Amino acid sequence: QVQLVESGGGLVQAGGSLRLSCAVSGRTFSSYAMGWFRQAPGKEREFVSAIRWSGGNTYYADSVKGRFTISRDNAKNTVYLQMNSLKPEDTAVYYCAATSRFSFGPVLVTSNAYDYWGQGTQVTVSS
C-alpha cells in the first residue's frame, strides 16, 4: 500500500513563499511519476504541476508557471513544491498524487492518471 503525506502548508501574505513536501512510503518511490493538484472552496480540483519518475521533465499549469517549482529527491522518497510570489487565488487545499501507470506525458495533468493521493494540506494566501 502506498501512502502519501503532505506537509508545509499554512498562512502566508501575498508575495510570500511556501514549500510543500510530500513523503511517499510503501513502494519504490523512484518508479512513480508525481503530481500536485489543488482544490479551492467551491471549485473543482485542478492540476498544478507534475514531474516524471527520474525528475528530468516537469509540467506546470499556466497559472503557476514561473512562480512554482516542482522537484523530487528519490533518496528521501519526497516530492516538493516550492511556491513563490503567492497570490490570494493560490489559496486551496494542495494534494500530491502518484502514479506508476504513466512515466510522463500530457496525461499527467489529469487526475485520473493517478492511483494514490495524499490527504491534502491547506495553503491560505492573504491579501
Side-chain angles (χ1 to χ4, degrees), residues 38-46 63 88-93 95:
R38 67 186 181 186
Q39 187 166 19
K43 295 187 177 182
E44 293 186 353
R45 189 172 298 187
E46 65 174 0
S63 58
E89 51 264 42
D90 294 318
T91 295
V93 177
Y95 299 89

Side-chain angles (χ1 to χ4, degrees), residues 25-91:
S25 62
R27 289 242 179 125
T28 305
F29 172 70
S30 60
S31 65
Y32 287 87
M34 301 295 298
W36 286 97
F37 288 74
R38 67 186 181 186
Q39 187 166 19
K43 295 187 177 182
E44 293 186 353
R45 189 172 298 187
E46 65 174 0
F47 170 76
V48 175
S49 184
I51 188 167
R52 72 178 299 159
W53 66 272
S54 65
N57 297 92
T58 56
Y59 274 130
Y60 296 95
D62 288 342
S63 58
V64 307
K65 202 171 293 183
R67 299 188 298 122
F68 290 11
T69 303
I70 190 171
S71 62
R72 65 190 294 160
D73 186 336
N74 286 348
K76 295 182 178 180
N77 289 1
T78 301
V79 63
Y80 304 98
L81 186 68
Q82 177 67 44
M83 306 185 296
N84 299 329
S85 302
L86 283 162
K87 304 175 181 180
E89 51 264 42
D90 294 318
T91 295

Side-chain angles (χ1 to χ4, degrees), residues 2 9 12-13 17 22-23 42 44 48 50 67 71 74 87 95-96 107 109-110 117 127:
V2 177
V12 64
Q13 288 188 331
S17 298
C22 175
E44 293 186 353
V48 175
R67 299 188 298 122
S71 62
N74 286 348
K87 304 175 181 180
Y95 299 89
C96 71
V107 66
V109 308
T110 61
W117 293 83
S127 58

